Amino acid sequence: MKRFFIAPAQRLRIPLELACLCLLLITCSKSEVDTTDPDSGNPPVLPQNLYYPPLQASGQWETTSMESLGWDAELATSLNTYLETEGTQAFIILKDGKIVMESYFGDFTDSSLWYWASAGKTLTAFTVGIAQADGKLSLDDRTAEYLGVGWTSAPPEKEQKIRIAHQLSMTTGLDESIFECTLPNCLQFKAESGSRWAYHNGPYTLLQNVVASAVSEDFSLYFNRQLRNRIGMDGFWLAQGEGNNIYYSSARSMARFGLLVLSKGVWDSEVILEDPAYIEEMVRPSQSLNKAYGYLWWLNGRDRYMAPGSQVVFSGPLIPSAPSDLIAGLGKNDQKLYVVPSQSLVIIRMGEDTGDALVGPSSFDNALWQRLSEMMGL
């Protein structure tokens, strides 16, 4: 049984249609997008008149109808059918902070908890920014200042070159073939820091230890006080595997965080991250090797990109069918957090793997955005 909401509230049913996935993302054709490096252009303008839901989970979250936006409600019904066939548990679209579409499938509800997988890396990136704004650390600091000498198996002179910025940008130079382990013997030298981009969970996960050391407090406690509680999120961090730390929350909490990023670190009248420069840097290319990667955020609209588990550089944008200014948290089994400043949109998807079994970008991104773009008239 599925439940979905399209403002104004209604329940629609249509026959099951055949859903066609696009080819793997790397084979999708390039569309016309703005590939201008944002460092040489004007930064996105902060969306005006954003709505922020009450901090209390029981509070009413305001809605906006598709009709008022000129969107196609019939295509929204078709979209829900597609989402259900692709194993989706929860799907939300916010426009200017208000709910336009909210869908739950099976036994999933607005209070059910689900894992973010690597989409949760964006939470860590934001928390690092808070710690820097608090004067507790600097991105240029050596990681060893917080984790101690010997936190890797790299030669001492190589380890000393690894900085927090390298962890945020996936350029530590450590061997990613041991993907999640955070023990020193798993973190082996492969290349000079800053010279090689490779998606690697071990050094990323240790960013949370860096923050904990810098603020002299458990990372989860610091995160809860400085971020989660201030915007009304629920959820918790749970250690899994060989040190990997995964965030679990309701779908609405993921949407709240997306709204915070859309508003550039401001929640209503409260500034959550008092470092505008960091917020801009977080969602720009963090290095020249993979232009589609910021500080743990994926970036659309660039002229080339790299994918997890590969050293191949692909031509064209990450998600050709999506707006060029889209930024995203992308997690295993197609956990999706999309933020589109030019359209004042936040879109989230939680659920099961749609078929590619990848840890980040997948063909589902492009297939979904083809439908969204048609529905919204983008």
Side-chain angles (χ1 to χ4, degrees):
M1 176 182 180
K2 68 177 181 180
R3 302 193 305 113
F4 62 89
F5 170 89
I6 303 175
Q10 56 185 325
R11 184 179 296 269
L12 301 173
R13 303 184 63 178
I14 66 170
L16 181 65
E17 67 175 18
L18 295 177
C20 295
L21 288 175
C22 69
L23 295 176
L24 188 64
L25 181 62
I26 62 175
T27 64
C28 292
S29 61
K30 180 179 178 180
S31 63
E32 292 184 1
V33 296
D34 178 11
T35 57
T36 301
D37 191 320
D39 290 336
S40 62
N42 295 321
V45 177
L46 177 65
Q48 300 297 309
N49 303 316
L50 286 178
Y51 163 80
Y52 300 89
L55 293 181
Q56 300 77 15
S58 59
Q60 184 69 31
W61 196 317
E62 291 188 15
T63 65
T64 297
S65 71
M66 289 199 171
E67 290 76 11
S68 69
L69 298 172
W71 295 2
D72 192 325
E74 290 186 7
L75 290 180
T77 304
S78 172
L79 174 62
N80 266 290
T81 301
Y82 169 70
L83 290 168
E84 184 173 30
T85 62
E86 294 302 314
T88 303
Q89 302 278 25
F91 185 79
I92 297 175
I93 300 178
L94 304 183
K95 173 71 170 178
D96 298 324
K98 296 182 180 180
I99 294 175
V100 184
M101 183 173 177
E102 184 173 24
S103 308
Y104 299 100
F105 303 92
D107 296 328
F108 214 83
T109 71
D110 60 7
S111 60
S112 299
L113 302 182
W114 195 256
Y115 60 92
W116 290 37
S118 286
K121 287 180 168 66
T122 59
L123 294 171
T124 301
F126 201 96
T127 307
V128 169
I130 292 175
Q132 179 171 254
D134 285 347
K136 303 297 185 180
L137 56 78
S138 169
L139 301 195
D140 197 45
D141 291 344
R142 292 181 173 85
T143 302
E145 295 179 33
Y146 302 95
L147 301 184
V149 174
W151 68 276
T152 74
S153 294
E157 68 276 12
K158 304 299 184 183
E159 180 183 278
Q160 281 297 307
K161 294 181 180 180
I162 302 175
R163 301 177 186 275
I164 295 174
H166 295 132
Q167 293 173 272
L168 284 167
S169 59
M170 296 287 180
T171 58
T172 61
L174 299 172
D175 187 351
E176 76 279 10
S177 63
I178 308 177
F179 186 62
E180 291 190 343
C181 180
T182 57
L183 299 176
N185 65 323
C186 298
L187 302 171
Q188 301 173 6
F189 177 80
K190 191 175 185 72
E192 292 284 344
S193 56
S195 69
R196 182 175 184 270
W197 187 90
Y199 196 78
H200 192 180
N201 261 9
Y204 150 71
T205 301
L206 287 172
L207 271 172
Q208 297 186 357
N209 297 50
V210 168
V211 172
S213 175
V215 302
S216 301
E217 185 178 10
D218 178 80
F219 177 82
S220 292
L221 295 177
Y222 185 75
F223 166 84
N224 290 349
R225 189 179 72 256
Q226 296 289 350
L227 175 52
R228 187 195 71 174
N229 299 347
R230 297 169 73 184
I231 66 171
M233 288 178 66
D234 56 30
F236 56 88
W237 292 95
L238 181 65
Q240 296 180 348
E242 297 176 304
N244 200 12
N245 216 16
I246 302 297
Y247 198 70
Y248 287 74
S249 81
S250 64
R252 285 190 169 194
S253 285
M254 183 184 273
R256 282 177 181 268
F257 177 64
L259 178 57
L260 175 66
V261 174
L262 178 66
S263 65
K264 297 188 177 182
V266 178
W267 187 266
D268 205 351
S269 60
E270 184 179 8
V271 180
I272 307 299
L273 175 46
E274 299 184 17
D275 188 346
Y278 178 86
I279 295 174
E280 293 295 336
E281 292 168 6
M282 183 175 69
V283 295
R284 290 180 176 178
S286 55
Q287 27 61 51
S288 61
L289 303 164
N290 184 3
K291 295 182 70 175
Y293 206 72
Y295 290 155
L296 305 177
W297 282 86
W298 290 94
L299 317 176
N300 199 34
R302 314 294 153 167
D303 59 5
R304 61 185 185 272
Y305 68 93
M306 296 175 67
S310 172
Q311 287 297 298
V312 177
V313 178
F314 302 101
S315 297
L318 187 70
I319 309 174
S321 61
S324 61
D325 66 325
L326 174 146
I327 61 174
L330 304 176
K332 184 178 181 180
N333 297 334
D334 290 308
Q335 316 312 317
K336 309 294 184 183
L337 166 59
Y338 304 118
V339 179
V340 186
S342 64
Q343 301 295 325
S344 196
L345 288 171
V346 174
I347 301 176
I348 72 99
R349 186 266 184 191
M350 291 178 162
E352 304 290 352
D353 175 37
T354 64
D356 286 344
L358 301 175
V359 297
S362 73
S363 63
F364 179 72
D365 292 295
N366 205 58
L368 176 59
W369 271 101
Q370 287 175 343
R371 292 172 177 268
L372 289 171
S373 295
E374 184 180 4
M375 183 184 76
M376 298 176 187
L378 299 181

